[in-house]
Structures are given as structure tokens and as C-alpha cells.
Amino acid sequence: MDSEDEQYLKQRLDELQRDVSKKQKFEPAVAALTSLLRDRYSSASPPLRKSYLTVVSRVATVLKTRYTSPGFWAAGLALFRLALTLVSDPAEKSLLLGYISDAEKVVRQDDEPSALPPPNQGFLFEGHLTVDREPPRPQWLVQESFLASAATLFAAESSANSGRPVTETGGDSQDTANLLQSLIDNLDSVLPPGILDDVRGAPRVPPASKKVVANLPVITITEEKLKKLGEEAECCICKENLVVNDKMQELPCKHTFHPPCLKPWLDEHNSCPICRHELETDDHAYESRKEREREAEEDRKGAANAVRGGEYMYV
């Protein structure tokens, strides 16, 4: 393959890399890339082969972060399987196997027949089997059962310590262990919310406010901006390199990420993956506690400064 062909194919691959980021052009771009792989990959130079793999990886990233249609995933799966037959580098084969595994899960799920209707979940009420499933027990009944179980466990333990056989209380060591585990598993359902926070440590940070996330600015990566960021610029959540026309959502700390990557991250962690800047939440109790802690910290710093100022006066 001469240099002109190489240059043409490199430009074509760059175009396809941009096209797969546009939903209406995704399938035609994947089809064109599949054709190029099949017909031209074997005669390509090593640098051009790397370009092929870069575009294939971009297809995988776009599928993972933007598109959910099984048809798109099926097209990607065919591309990944073809690429796997052509590459020889073990690292590239491992990468493609991961892409194939992800795509097969989506395509297989779409091919599976719909689940059968669940069996009758009714319960016996006054001698008749109801149609509806049994309603949840009221909280007072759950707490009453919890206290009764605790009393049983305490009686069994007391009998064991006093030298009487545990069987006098109607249980053995295995029953006691099972009962204790059941009590531990159900602490959250019978105790008031928040009562275990002091034991378990700080409560989980609530997710970011949906309104705050929706109002975060979205910027488009241009060639000029990509040059400033550098060739290795990436979304720090999905670890994929940025390309021209990528949409990026900007946090107040000015760090940017793919919108489909950022939302789940903020729901789970509510902080910037880079600098840990925390966004506002919809949990008023949590926000009030943060404000009190902030004011207490400022008061503490003020008192410390005042003490240091007094020490300087007497030096």
C-alpha cells in the first residue's frame, strides 16, 4: 500500500470516528468500518492498524455511554468479532474480547423470550387463597416480633450461663446463632432511621440534586480545545480519550466528563472524580448538617486565630 492510500485511509478512519458519535450516522459508519477492516486491514502499516483499533474502541465507548438500542449493539458485536480475527497482539485481543463480552450480554438479553408471568403470590386469609400477594407487615408488628426474638435469645443465653441445658428453652446453639443473625439482618427495618449512623460511621452522601445536574453546562470538544487539552485528554470516569465533537458536562470546579458517565457517578458518589468537589443535594437535613459543620469549623478557626493573636501580644 503506497503513502497516498495510507493517507486516504487515515482520513477516512478519522471521519468514521466522528460519525459513530452521531446517532443517525452510527450504523452506516460501523458498516463502512467493517468493510474497511475486512478488505484493507491486512495490508495496512502498523500505525494505520493502530488507527483502526482506535476507531473500533471508539465504537465500544459510544455504545457503552450513549446508545442502548440492541440493533446498534448487534452491529458493534459483528465489528468486534471481525476485528478479533484480524489482530495478533495479545493486548488488543484481550481488549476486543471485553468488547465482545459486553455486546453479547446486551444482544443475548434482547434475544431471550419474555419471562413467564410469576406464579400466584396470594396468601391464605380466613380459609381462602387471595389473588393479591400478602401486604407488608405493619411496623409495630415487625418491632414486636423483633423484641420477642430478642427476649428468646436472652433467655437461651441466660440458661446456658446458669448451667441449665439450653434445650429447656426450646432451642440449641444453631438455633441461637440463626436467631442472632436474623436480628442483625433486620436492624435497619425495626430501628428508627439514622439511629445506627453513630455506630456505622458517617451516613452515605445523598445523590446530587437533579436540578443542579440538569443545569450543568454542556460543552462541545472542538479541535482547538482538544489541542489545548493534549492528545491524552480523557474522560476520567470511562477512561476513553476525547475526540472532536464529544459532548462534555462541566462541574463548578471546571472539570468535564461525558454526560452519560457523570450522572451515574454523581448519583453514587456526588463528588468530582478528580478534586472531590461536592454538589448540592435535595436532602435538606444533610445540607443543614453540612452548613452547621461549616459554621462550627469557621468558629473553631476563629477561636484558634484569636488564641494565637493573644500569644503574639505577650511575646
Side-chain angles (χ1 to χ4, degrees):
M1 184 182 301
D2 58 33
S3 59
E4 289 186 1
D5 283 345
E6 290 261 334
Q7 183 64 27
Y8 165 75
L9 285 174
K10 181 65 172 67
Q11 292 176 356
R12 182 64 177 138
L13 289 174
D14 290 342
E15 291 174 2
L16 294 176
Q17 185 170 351
R18 292 191 293 269
D19 287 347
V20 295
S21 300
K22 302 171 184 176
K23 194 170 186 178
Q24 67 275 18
K25 293 185 178 182
F26 179 82
E27 288 183 289
V30 170
L33 179 59
T34 302
S35 178
L36 285 178
L37 264 176
R38 183 176 57 248
D39 300 336
R40 310 294 293 272
Y41 181 85
S42 58
S43 60
S45 64
L48 190 59
R49 290 187 177 189
K50 292 291 184 183
S51 297
Y52 273 105
L53 189 63
T54 297
V55 186
V56 172
S57 297
R58 182 59 183 169
V59 171
T61 300
V62 169
L63 284 172
K64 191 184 303 182
T65 59
R66 301 185 187 181
Y67 306 147
T68 58
S69 170
F72 286 1
W73 279 92
L77 178 58
L79 173 68
F80 303 149
R81 285 173 173 170
L82 173 63
L84 183 63
T85 65
L86 297 172
V87 301
S88 56
D89 183 85
E92 293 178 350
K93 282 185 176 292
S94 177
L95 188 67
L96 289 167
L97 285 171
Y99 297 159
I100 291 172
S101 176
D102 292 340
E104 284 179 340
K105 290 176 184 177
V106 177
V107 175
R108 188 184 306 122
Q109 182 179 1
D110 185 60
D111 290 340
E112 289 177 354
S114 58
L116 295 175
N120 191 300
Q121 299 292 331
F123 65 101
L124 198 64
F125 179 70
E126 295 184 351
H128 299 282
L129 187 64
T130 65
V131 176
D132 299 326
R133 64 174 58 194
E134 185 174 7
R137 293 188 299 168
Q139 189 68 12
W140 65 268
L141 185 56
V142 174
Q143 292 174 343
E144 185 177 275
S145 299
F146 174 84
L147 294 175
S149 299
T152 302
L153 181 61
F154 178 76
E157 184 67 21
S158 298
S159 297
N161 292 336
S162 63
R164 296 199 306 269
V166 177
T167 52
E168 291 182 11
T169 64
D172 55 23
S173 59
Q174 183 60 44
D175 291 336
T176 301
N178 292 339
L179 182 56
L180 179 60
Q181 185 60 50
S182 176
L183 295 178
I184 293 172
D185 292 341
N186 289 280
L187 281 177
D188 286 331
S189 62
V190 297
L191 296 179
I195 198 170
L196 296 177
D197 287 346
D198 291 338
V199 178
R200 294 175 178 171
R204 178 179 175 273
V205 178
S209 166
K210 292 181 179 179
K211 183 178 180 181
V212 170
V213 175
N215 289 332
L216 291 175
V218 176
I219 62 175
T220 302
I221 297 295
T222 62
E223 291 186 5
E224 181 182 359
K225 191 170 187 66
L226 191 58
K227 287 180 181 178
K228 291 181 179 179
L229 294 173
E231 294 182 359
E232 300 301 321
E234 65 179 11
C235 170
C236 290
I237 299 177
C238 68
K239 299 300 182 182
E240 291 295 336
N241 288 340
L242 304 184
V243 298
V244 175
N245 292 329
D246 260 0
K247 301 292 184 183
M248 304 295 287
Q249 205 157 14
E250 187 177 69
L251 293 178
C253 56
K254 301 303 180 182
H255 293 128
T256 60
F257 310 90
H258 290 134
C261 301
L262 183 61
K263 185 182 183 308
W265 177 275
L266 292 178
D267 287 343
E268 181 67 23
H269 304 283
N270 188 21
S271 64
C272 172
I274 298 175
C275 68
R276 304 303 174 189
H277 172 85
E278 191 174 299
L279 273 67
E280 182 182 348
T281 74
D282 290 324
D283 190 321
H284 298 297
Y286 176 79
E287 293 298 327
S288 297
R289 182 169 65 83
K290 272 204 316 182
E291 184 62 29
R292 290 195 299 271
E293 290 175 353
R294 191 180 302 114
E295 292 175 354
E297 179 65 16
E298 291 177 357
D299 291 344
R300 186 191 66 77
K301 289 180 179 178
N305 290 335
V307 169
R308 285 196 292 270
E311 292 174 351
Y312 293 148
M313 291 176 63
Y314 292 101
V315 173

mmCIF file with all atom_site columns, all heavy atoms in Angstrom, residues 235-246:
data_model
loop_
_atom_site.group_PDB
_atom_site.id
_atom_site.type_symbol
_atom_site.label_atom_id
_atom_site.label_alt_id
_atom_site.label_comp_id
_atom_site.label_asym_id
_atom_site.label_entity_id
_atom_site.label_seq_id
_atom_site.pdbx_PDB_ins_code
_atom_site.Cartn_x
_atom_site.Cartn_y
_atom_site.Cartn_z
_atom_site.occupancy
_atom_site.B_iso_or_equiv
_atom_site.pdbx_formal_charge
_atom_site.auth_seq_id
_atom_site.auth_comp_id
_atom_site.auth_asym_id
_atom_site.auth_atom_id
_atom_site.pdbx_PDB_model_num
ATOM 1  N N   . CYS A 1 235 ? -11.942 11.239 29.429 1.00 0.00 ? 235 CYS A N   1
ATOM 2  C CA  . CYS A 1 235 ? -12.981 11.309 30.456 1.00 0.00 ? 235 CYS A CA  1
ATOM 3  C C   . CYS A 1 235 ? -12.503 10.445 31.614 1.00 0.00 ? 235 CYS A C   1
ATOM 4  O O   . CYS A 1 235 ? -12.267 9.249  31.436 1.00 0.00 ? 235 CYS A O   1
ATOM 5  C CB  . CYS A 1 235 ? -14.315 10.794 29.916 1.00 0.00 ? 235 CYS A CB  1
ATOM 6  S SG  . CYS A 1 235 ? -15.594 10.574 31.185 1.00 0.00 ? 235 CYS A SG  1
ATOM 7  N N   . CYS A 1 236 ? -12.333 11.033 32.788 1.00 0.00 ? 236 CYS A N   1
ATOM 8  C CA  . CYS A 1 236 ? -11.722 10.317 33.902 1.00 0.00 ? 236 CYS A CA  1
ATOM 9  C C   . CYS A 1 236 ? -12.623 9.231  34.493 1.00 0.00 ? 236 CYS A C   1
ATOM 10 O O   . CYS A 1 236 ? -12.184 8.486  35.365 1.00 0.00 ? 236 CYS A O   1
ATOM 11 C CB  . CYS A 1 236 ? -11.331 11.296 35.005 1.00 0.00 ? 236 CYS A CB  1
ATOM 12 S SG  . CYS A 1 236 ? -9.943  12.345 34.549 1.00 0.00 ? 236 CYS A SG  1
ATOM 13 N N   . ILE A 1 237 ? -13.868 9.153  34.032 1.00 0.00 ? 237 ILE A N   1
ATOM 14 C CA  . ILE A 1 237 ? -14.767 8.113  34.537 1.00 0.00 ? 237 ILE A CA  1
ATOM 15 C C   . ILE A 1 237 ? -14.684 6.864  33.665 1.00 0.00 ? 237 ILE A C   1
ATOM 16 O O   . ILE A 1 237 ? -14.444 5.764  34.149 1.00 0.00 ? 237 ILE A O   1
ATOM 17 C CB  . ILE A 1 237 ? -16.210 8.633  34.616 1.00 0.00 ? 237 ILE A CB  1
ATOM 18 C CG1 . ILE A 1 237 ? -16.291 9.827  35.579 1.00 0.00 ? 237 ILE A CG1 1
ATOM 19 C CG2 . ILE A 1 237 ? -17.162 7.519  35.085 1.00 0.00 ? 237 ILE A CG2 1
ATOM 20 C CD1 . ILE A 1 237 ? -17.654 10.466 35.667 1.00 0.00 ? 237 ILE A CD1 1
ATOM 21 N N   . CYS A 1 238 ? -14.874 7.035  32.347 1.00 0.00 ? 238 CYS A N   1
ATOM 22 C CA  . CYS A 1 238 ? -14.829 5.872  31.445 1.00 0.00 ? 238 CYS A CA  1
ATOM 23 C C   . CYS A 1 238 ? -13.433 5.618  30.886 1.00 0.00 ? 238 CYS A C   1
ATOM 24 O O   . CYS A 1 238 ? -13.198 4.601  30.237 1.00 0.00 ? 238 CYS A O   1
ATOM 25 C CB  . CYS A 1 238 ? -15.819 6.031  30.301 1.00 0.00 ? 238 CYS A CB  1
ATOM 26 S SG  . CYS A 1 238 ? -15.396 7.358  29.124 1.00 0.00 ? 238 CYS A SG  1
ATOM 27 N N   . LYS A 1 239 ? -12.493 6.570  31.112 1.00 0.00 ? 239 LYS A N   1
ATOM 28 C CA  . LYS A 1 239 ? -11.094 6.435  30.705 1.00 0.00 ? 239 LYS A CA  1
ATOM 29 C C   . LYS A 1 239 ? -10.905 6.388  29.191 1.00 0.00 ? 239 LYS A C   1
ATOM 30 O O   . LYS A 1 239 ? -9.874  5.920  28.726 1.00 0.00 ? 239 LYS A O   1
ATOM 31 C CB  . LYS A 1 239 ? -10.469 5.172  31.330 1.00 0.00 ? 239 LYS A CB  1
ATOM 32 C CG  . LYS A 1 239 ? -10.452 5.168  32.844 1.00 0.00 ? 239 LYS A CG  1
ATOM 33 C CD  . LYS A 1 239 ? -9.653  6.329  33.398 1.00 0.00 ? 239 LYS A CD  1
ATOM 34 C CE  . LYS A 1 239 ? -9.597  6.314  34.918 1.00 0.00 ? 239 LYS A CE  1
ATOM 35 N NZ  . LYS A 1 239 ? -8.870  7.475  35.461 1.00 0.00 ? 239 LYS A NZ  1
ATOM 36 N N   . GLU A 1 240 ? -11.879 6.896  28.432 1.00 0.00 ? 240 GLU A N   1
ATOM 37 C CA  . GLU A 1 240 ? -11.734 6.924  26.978 1.00 0.00 ? 240 GLU A CA  1
ATOM 38 C C   . GLU A 1 240 ? -11.199 8.284  26.536 1.00 0.00 ? 240 GLU A C   1
ATOM 39 O O   . GLU A 1 240 ? -11.598 9.328  27.069 1.00 0.00 ? 240 GLU A O   1
ATOM 40 C CB  . GLU A 1 240 ? -13.078 6.647  26.302 1.00 0.00 ? 240 GLU A CB  1
ATOM 41 C CG  . GLU A 1 240 ? -13.567 5.214  26.470 1.00 0.00 ? 240 GLU A CG  1
ATOM 42 C CD  . GLU A 1 240 ? -12.674 4.203  25.790 1.00 0.00 ? 240 GLU A CD  1
ATOM 43 O OE1 . GLU A 1 240 ? -11.966 4.604  24.838 1.00 0.00 ? 240 GLU A OE1 1
ATOM 44 O OE2 . GLU A 1 240 ? -12.659 3.028  26.194 1.00 0.00 ? 240 GLU A OE2 1
ATOM 45 N N   . ASN A 1 241 ? -10.291 8.276  25.541 1.00 0.00 ? 241 ASN A N   1
ATOM 46 C CA  . ASN A 1 241 ? -9.736  9.521  25.038 1.00 0.00 ? 241 ASN A CA  1
ATOM 47 C C   . ASN A 1 241 ? -10.819 10.362 24.368 1.00 0.00 ? 241 ASN A C   1
ATOM 48 O O   . ASN A 1 241 ? -11.727 9.833  23.718 1.00 0.00 ? 241 ASN A O   1
ATOM 49 C CB  . ASN A 1 241 ? -8.622  9.232  24.031 1.00 0.00 ? 241 ASN A CB  1
ATOM 50 C CG  . ASN A 1 241 ? -7.372  8.689  24.704 1.00 0.00 ? 241 ASN A CG  1
ATOM 51 O OD1 . ASN A 1 241 ? -7.187  8.860  25.896 1.00 0.00 ? 241 ASN A OD1 1
ATOM 52 N ND2 . ASN A 1 241 ? -6.527  8.031  23.945 1.00 0.00 ? 241 ASN A ND2 1
ATOM 53 N N   . LEU A 1 242 ? -10.699 11.673 24.524 1.00 0.00 ? 242 LEU A N   1
ATOM 54 C CA  . LEU A 1 242 ? -11.676 12.584 23.934 1.00 0.00 ? 242 LEU A CA  1
ATOM 55 C C   . LEU A 1 242 ? -11.391 12.765 22.450 1.00 0.00 ? 242 LEU A C   1
ATOM 56 O O   . LEU A 1 242 ? -10.247 12.691 22.011 1.00 0.00 ? 242 LEU A O   1
ATOM 57 C CB  . LEU A 1 242 ? -11.621 13.941 24.641 1.00 0.00 ? 242 LEU A CB  1
ATOM 58 C CG  . LEU A 1 242 ? -11.811 13.934 26.163 1.00 0.00 ? 242 LEU A CG  1
ATOM 59 C CD1 . LEU A 1 242 ? -11.827 15.359 26.688 1.00 0.00 ? 242 LEU A CD1 1
ATOM 60 C CD2 . LEU A 1 242 ? -13.081 13.205 26.555 1.00 0.00 ? 242 LEU A CD2 1
ATOM 61 N N   . VAL A 1 243 ? -12.455 13.003 21.689 1.00 0.00 ? 243 VAL A N   1
ATOM 62 C CA  . VAL A 1 243 ? -12.324 13.293 20.261 1.00 0.00 ? 243 VAL A CA  1
ATOM 63 C C   . VAL A 1 243 ? -13.165 14.516 19.942 1.00 0.00 ? 243 VAL A C   1
ATOM 64 O O   . VAL A 1 243 ? -14.011 14.947 20.739 1.00 0.00 ? 243 VAL A O   1
ATOM 65 C CB  . VAL A 1 243 ? -12.779 12.102 19.386 1.00 0.00 ? 243 VAL A CB  1
ATOM 66 C CG1 . VAL A 1 243 ? -11.917 10.881 19.629 1.00 0.00 ? 243 VAL A CG1 1
ATOM 67 C CG2 . VAL A 1 243 ? -14.247 11.787 19.629 1.00 0.00 ? 243 VAL A CG2 1
ATOM 68 N N   . VAL A 1 244 ? -12.916 15.081 18.784 1.00 0.00 ? 244 VAL A N   1
ATOM 69 C CA  . VAL A 1 244 ? -13.666 16.259 18.348 1.00 0.00 ? 244 VAL A CA  1
ATOM 70 C C   . VAL A 1 244 ? -15.157 15.926 18.299 1.00 0.00 ? 244 VAL A C   1
ATOM 71 O O   . VAL A 1 244 ? -15.559 14.835 17.888 1.00 0.00 ? 244 VAL A O   1
ATOM 72 C CB  . VAL A 1 244 ? -13.167 16.726 16.963 1.00 0.00 ? 244 VAL A CB  1
ATOM 73 C CG1 . VAL A 1 244 ? -14.021 17.882 16.454 1.00 0.00 ? 244 VAL A CG1 1
ATOM 74 C CG2 . VAL A 1 244 ? -11.711 17.151 17.054 1.00 0.00 ? 244 VAL A CG2 1
ATOM 75 N N   . ASN A 1 245 ? -15.978 16.879 18.737 1.00 0.00 ? 245 ASN A N   1
ATOM 76 C CA  . ASN A 1 245 ? -17.445 16.797 18.781 1.00 0.00 ? 245 ASN A CA  1
ATOM 77 C C   . ASN A 1 245 ? -17.970 16.008 19.978 1.00 0.00 ? 245 ASN A C   1
ATOM 78 O O   . ASN A 1 245 ? -19.180 15.807 20.096 1.00 0.00 ? 245 ASN A O   1
ATOM 79 C CB  . ASN A 1 245 ? -18.029 16.203 17.491 1.00 0.00 ? 245 ASN A CB  1
ATOM 80 C CG  . ASN A 1 245 ? -17.845 17.133 16.311 1.00 0.00 ? 245 ASN A CG  1
ATOM 81 O OD1 . ASN A 1 245 ? -17.838 18.356 16.472 1.00 0.00 ? 245 ASN A OD1 1
ATOM 82 N ND2 . ASN A 1 245 ? -17.675 16.583 15.123 1.00 0.00 ? 245 ASN A ND2 1
ATOM 83 N N   . ASP A 1 246 ? -17.104 15.556 20.875 1.00 0.00 ? 246 ASP A N   1
ATOM 84 C CA  . ASP A 1 246 ? -17.585 14.951 22.108 1.00 0.00 ? 246 ASP A CA  1
ATOM 85 C C   . ASP A 1 246 ? -18.344 15.999 22.932 1.00 0.00 ? 246 ASP A C   1
ATOM 86 O O   . ASP A 1 246 ? -17.907 17.147 23.049 1.00 0.00 ? 246 ASP A O   1
ATOM 87 C CB  . ASP A 1 246 ? -16.410 14.427 22.937 1.00 0.00 ? 246 ASP A CB  1
ATOM 88 C CG  . ASP A 1 246 ? -16.226 12.942 22.778 1.00 0.00 ? 246 ASP A CG  1
ATOM 89 O OD1 . ASP A 1 246 ? -17.009 12.339 22.030 1.00 0.00 ? 246 ASP A OD1 1
ATOM 90 O OD2 . ASP A 1 246 ? -15.292 12.378 23.391 1.00 0.00 ? 246 ASP A OD2 1
#
